């Protein structure tokens, strides 16, 4: 297949990855054409692989167990409890057909700048409440697995969200919003750290992204977070903020002064952090509008995931998300959310 396209001038340009057929390996019509059994088989394979043995979510016994094909459930050979393909996963107690959850996962996959619950509700013909919780369950499955430290070149930065106070109508009634006492108590800082591909890697740009919510981008916050998540010997690229000043003792820190330039004379940029915030702002402004402080960590991590998978075909991202959903335990925050079972506090990293 040709990977070139012809411009109006007749020049051959390399085709952007997302325009190639390889980037589109799954479509909504394909997912919606699945029978209940197809959807069941797909989720079973994502959860337990192709073998005949499955794991009882109640007692952990791995066995063939007693399968009842009419109801698509197993009875555990050890503890005797029944379980389905979604028991103990983020899709446990689902009320809609599993196929619709897979369709939701695909809509979510394809929405590279995020998708609002209202839009998903309209697309799937479900209540806003159902779409809202479903989206949060998908987000919850995206948290990084393992605690491997970031290495090599790491771009980092912080950006504020939620600080806007609507100005009074009349000019003389307006407060000075530069003063701390006039700022919103919901103002938070998202800190991003992105490990870049090494020069001899196949990929370009960032490959692994971690995000953290703090109240302020300070030396204390960065002094705690960076050693916890970045390997000694890494090269940190940051802007001129003094929050990074104390890191010079432990790391090679390169700076770019954004008030003067985008690329320092030595070639240092912080572009991968900038690119993260660019996508985050597009989600915030274009899709989500109001981001609650309590779930800010989920939105921040969603964009980290979307950035890290930006060069994957959509079928691969879908498989990854569904596999994560199948292997992520039932959510404490999102099971029974509308019955009042809500997360009590925001999650601050420092
Ligand atoms: Zn069991």
């Amino acid at each position: 297949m040709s990977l070139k396209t012809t411009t109006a001038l007749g020049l051959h340009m390399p085709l952007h990855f997302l325009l190639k057929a390889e980037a589109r390996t799954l479509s909504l019509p394909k997912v919606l054409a699945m029978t209940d059994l197809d959807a069941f088989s797909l989720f079973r394979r994502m959860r337990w692989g192709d073998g005949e043995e499955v794991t009882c979510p109640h007692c952990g016994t791995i066995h063939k167990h007693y399968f009842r094909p009419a109801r698509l459930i197993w009875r555990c050979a050890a503890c005797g409890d029944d379980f389905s393909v979604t028991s103990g996963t983020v899709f446990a107690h689902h009320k809609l057909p599993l196929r619709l959850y897979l369709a939701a996962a695909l809509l979510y996959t394809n929405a590279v700048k995020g998708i609002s619950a209202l839009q998903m509700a309209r697309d799937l013909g479900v209540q806003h409440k159902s779409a809202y919780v479903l989206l949060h369950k998908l987000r919850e499955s995206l948290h990084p697995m393992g605690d491997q430290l970031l290495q090599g070149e790491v771009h980092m930065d912080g950006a504020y969200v939620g600080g806007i106070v609507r100005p009074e109508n009349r000019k003389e009634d307006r407060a000075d919003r530069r003063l701390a006492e006039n700022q919103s108590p919901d103002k938070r800082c998202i800190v991003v750290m992105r490990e870049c591909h090494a020069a001899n890697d196949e990929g370009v740009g960032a490959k692994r992204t971690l995000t953290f919510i703090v109240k302020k981008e300070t030396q204390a916050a960065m002094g705690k977070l960076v050693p916890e998540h970045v390997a000694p010997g890494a090269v940190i690229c940051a802007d001129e903020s003094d929050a990074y000043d104390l890191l010079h003792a432990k790391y090679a820190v390169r700076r770019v002064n954004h008030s003067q330039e985008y690329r320092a004379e030595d070639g240092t940029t912080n572009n991968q952090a900038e690119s993260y915030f660019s996508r985050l702002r597009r989600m915030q402004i274009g899709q989500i509008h109001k981001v609650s402080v309590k779930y800010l960590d989920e939105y921040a991590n969603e964009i980290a995931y979307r950035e890290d998978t930006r060069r994957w075909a959509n079928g691969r991202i879908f498989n990854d998300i569904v596999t994560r959903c199948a292997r992520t335990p039932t959510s404490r925050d999102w099971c029974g959310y509308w019955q009042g079972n809500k997360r009590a506090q925001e999650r601050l990293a420092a």
Side-chain angles (χ1 to χ4, degrees), residues 18-36:
L18 293 175
L19 296 174
K20 294 178 195 168
E22 300 101 278
R24 301 183 299 274
T25 50
L26 191 63
S27 69
L28 203 53
K30 267 194 213 166
V31 172
L32 292 176
M34 283 183 185
T35 62
D36 288 346

Side-chain angles (χ1 to χ4, degrees), residues 143-154:
H143 283 282
M145 295 170 173
D147 48 8
Q148 208 192 335
L149 299 178
L150 300 176
Q151 309 194 358
E153 187 172 315
V154 180

Side-chain angles (χ1 to χ4, degrees), residues 26-329:
L26 191 63
S27 69
L28 203 53
K30 267 194 213 166
V31 172
L32 292 176
M34 283 183 185
T35 62
D36 288 346
L37 191 59
D38 292 337
F40 164 86
S41 305
L42 178 85
F43 204 70
R44 181 193 193 282
R45 203 169 67 240
M46 299 293 184
R47 185 171 188 186
W48 292 304
D50 285 323
E52 286 198 21
E53 295 188 325
V54 299
T55 308
C56 167
H58 306 294
C59 69
T61 305
I62 303 170
H63 191 270
K64 270 180 72 177
H65 298 299
Y66 310 115
F67 184 57
R68 294 146 84 185
R71 293 182 57 202
L72 298 178
I73 60 171
W74 288 265
R75 174 154 293 169
C76 176
C79 71
D81 277 350
D82 288 343
F83 60 92
S84 77
V85 74
T86 56
S87 297
T89 75
V90 297
F91 293 152
H93 315 295
H94 63 91
K95 294 171 189 72
L96 303 164
L98 190 51
R99 175 176 56 249
L100 269 194
Y101 290 81
L102 298 177
L106 183 62
L107 289 172
Y108 185 76
T109 294
N110 290 343
V112 295
K113 293 174 183 74
I115 182 168
S116 68
L118 279 172
Q119 180 168 341
M120 172 111 22
R122 288 190 292 262
D123 284 345
L124 293 179
V126 301
Q127 281 189 37
H128 168 257
K129 283 180 170 185
S130 314
Y132 179 83
V133 167
L134 178 53
L135 280 169
H136 269 299
K137 287 179 175 174
L138 292 172
R139 281 183 198 110
E140 192 168 63
S141 75
L142 301 184
H143 283 282
M145 295 170 173
D147 48 8
Q148 208 192 335
L149 299 178
L150 300 176
Q151 309 194 358
E153 187 172 315
V154 180
H155 289 201
M156 54 181 82
D157 201 1
Y160 287 89
V161 294
I164 306 294
V165 177
R166 187 186 289 266
E168 292 293 333
N169 180 39
R170 292 161 58 85
K171 188 164 184 283
E172 55 269 33
D173 296 335
R174 291 178 197 163
D176 183 349
R177 286 188 285 160
R178 289 167 300 182
L179 300 176
E181 66 262 31
N182 292 333
Q183 286 178 358
S184 162
D186 286 343
K187 186 175 179 181
R188 294 290 181 274
C189 179
I190 298 177
V191 170
V192 68
M193 301 180 190
R194 308 196 70 192
E195 175 179 328
C196 297
H197 281 284
N200 53 358
D201 268 8
E202 219 172 78
V204 289
K207 63 175 175 184
R208 210 152 63 82
T209 306
L210 301 178
T211 55
F212 308 92
I213 310 303
V214 295
K215 287 202 169 170
K216 265 184 144 179
E217 186 187 20
T218 58
Q219 291 185 351
M222 301 317 293
K224 173 178 185 286
L225 292 176
V226 174
E228 279 176 3
H229 299 284
V230 182
V235 176
I236 291 173
C237 298
D239 63 16
E240 66 278 20
S241 159
D242 66 7
Y244 304 92
D245 286 358
L246 296 182
L247 300 174
H248 284 265
K250 273 194 179 166
Y251 297 91
V253 184
R254 296 194 199 137
R255 311 298 280 257
V256 50
N257 185 342
H258 280 154
S259 62
Q260 313 271 330
E261 62 209 353
Y262 295 113
R263 175 185 295 272
E265 265 176 35
D266 65 359
T268 301
T269 72
N270 199 17
N271 288 349
Q272 297 307 316
E274 302 297 324
S275 144
Y276 169 87
F277 285 118
S278 158
R279 194 184 296 258
L280 181 94
R281 294 299 186 202
R282 278 157 180 73
M283 173 172 80
Q284 188 191 356
I285 295 164
Q287 288 290 331
I288 309 294
H289 310 299
K290 230 181 111 190
V291 181
S292 98
V293 162
K294 212 189 273 184
Y295 303 115
L296 188 56
D297 63 319
E298 308 287 350
Y299 292 105
N301 183 65
E302 168 178 351
I303 293 299
Y305 180 84
R306 292 191 184 282
E307 274 285 299
D308 289 349
T309 56
R310 67 201 178 280
R311 306 273 301 183
W312 292 15
N314 72 338
R316 182 179 171 197
I317 301 176
F318 171 85
N319 283 350
D320 186 60
I321 291 179
V322 174
T323 304
R324 284 161 171 270
C325 288
R327 296 178 186 180
T328 301

